[in-house]
Amino acid sequence: MTVAIVGLGYVGLPLAHAIARKTQHTVVGYDISSKRIAELKEGKDRTGELTGDQLKQVQVSYSDDSEVLKEADVIILAIPTPVDEQNDPDLTPLISASATVGKHLKKGAIVVYESTVYPGTTEEICGPILAEESGLTYGVDFTVGYSPERINPGDKEHTVEHIMKIVSGQDEKTTDVLSELYGAVTDAGVHRAPNIKVAEMAKAIENAQRDLNIAFINEIAKLCHACGITTKDVLDAAATKWNFLRFSPGLVGGHCIGVDPYYLVEKAKQLNMETQIISAGRAINDGMANYVADEVNTMLKGTAKRVLVLGLTFKENVPDTRNSKSGDVVARLKEHGHKVEVHDPYMDSEGIKKNGWTAGSLKDGPYDAVVLLVPHKEYLSNAKEITGATAEGGVIYDLKSVLSESDVVNTGRMYRAL
């Protein structure tokens, strides 16, 4: 077959690479970004998911011309599904991509969606768009399927080839084709969901469950601080029980965990149902950036100081800044009157300036406070520099508890972790 991947980001590119490497199918990669296509043709992946050598291992045709979709037997869409400023699902990118695919859809093709959506999106929104744009009969001349992505950016262990894929099709024949396709790619096998809505819901609750678990620990962290005890010490003790689920407190950003629960909230609204636990978890996690900044401000006794924030991406060791909460911490610290400088080894000065931030570094100290939000490997390998960049008597706020408290305190600095 000819398999086309629409959207060559963290999800689409590794999938295209895996299909090209493990099957005999012709693989076409399409993206609306001409810059992205040019980089891939040069053997460069800015996401860091694949190396230049890996890109050269396989034959994938990259293009920013949607005409390449015309001959595709299977078209897989790996399109972001964000939320807007009101935290309402924004299906604009998915709708636009569906319209583009529809314009070039051939008879007999299967269109598969990997994006996280609320139940009903694939069949009730995307399918009709494909039919309208193509002029083909939905469910007769073409069918749709859904196989949610489960890639964890920056994770070199749980890659697409090692993750079980949920597979669902509009009918049994479509499910058979997709099961064979994905089954050839992943060594972990496939799970055939009974219908597309089940698969859509399964994906959405995977990330919502993690969001809720982190929200619980975040609330526990607040309670621990109020009690004057250390969260890490409490978790170390509780984790000695065999069935305790150890999650760590922190900021919940990124394009999945901090976003997907809102898709469930939206679906509930459509069904005149009020979500309580899901919404409560989101409220707690959305408020953590201000909580962290307020704690730093309290330790600085509310007087304007010079502060360095380390880590601007949504998680360690990846260059992805989508929905990162570090910016919220910076904004809150500025509201308190502090002079805030930022640094991230995965962001250049242009990117920092574009966000309206002031660049700083560990070499530009001493700072009255250093706030380690994202423990990139570059910071962990130079932990002593963090202490050295902090003025004596100053504050080191270690969000993820990766530094040694005793080592910090013994140098005459104050230490705090979430």
Side-chain angles (χ1 to χ4, degrees), residues 157-173:
E157 179 182 355
H158 300 96
T159 60
V160 64
E161 296 163 337
H162 299 109
I163 301 173
M164 178 173 282
K165 286 288 288 180
I166 297 174
V167 175
S168 58
Q170 188 175 357
D171 53 35
E172 198 69 19
K173 181 180 178 181

Side-chain angles (χ1 to χ4, degrees), residues 229-340:
I229 54 180
T230 303
T231 308
K232 184 178 181 299
D233 291 342
V234 172
L235 295 178
D236 286 345
T240 60
K241 188 179 180 187
W242 70 91
N243 61 351
F244 180 78
L245 302 178
R246 179 156 191 164
F247 284 80
S248 299
L251 304 178
V252 182
H255 50 89
C256 291
I257 300 175
V259 172
D260 296 348
Y262 287 118
Y263 278 74
L264 293 175
V265 172
E266 171 61 24
K267 188 62 180 181
K269 288 180 181 178
Q270 293 175 7
L271 299 173
N272 295 318
M273 173 185 168
E274 181 181 355
T275 56
Q276 298 183 31
I277 295 177
I278 299 172
S279 298
R282 278 284 74 229
I284 291 171
N285 286 340
D286 274 347
M288 289 308 293
N290 284 350
Y291 177 80
V292 168
D294 291 349
E295 282 210 311
V296 174
N297 181 61
T298 298
M299 295 184 73
L300 293 173
K301 299 181 180 179
T303 56
K305 299 290 185 178
R306 188 177 179 220
V307 180
L308 175 65
V309 171
L310 298 176
L312 303 169
T313 61
F314 86 88
K315 65 179 291 188
E316 57 270 23
N317 307 322
V318 299
D320 195 345
T321 58
R322 284 180 293 174
N323 197 35
S324 172
K325 298 302 178 184
S326 295
D328 294 343
V329 174
V330 172
R332 185 71 164 192
L333 287 170
K334 287 183 176 180
E335 286 180 9
H336 285 303
H338 302 296
K339 181 182 178 182
V340 184

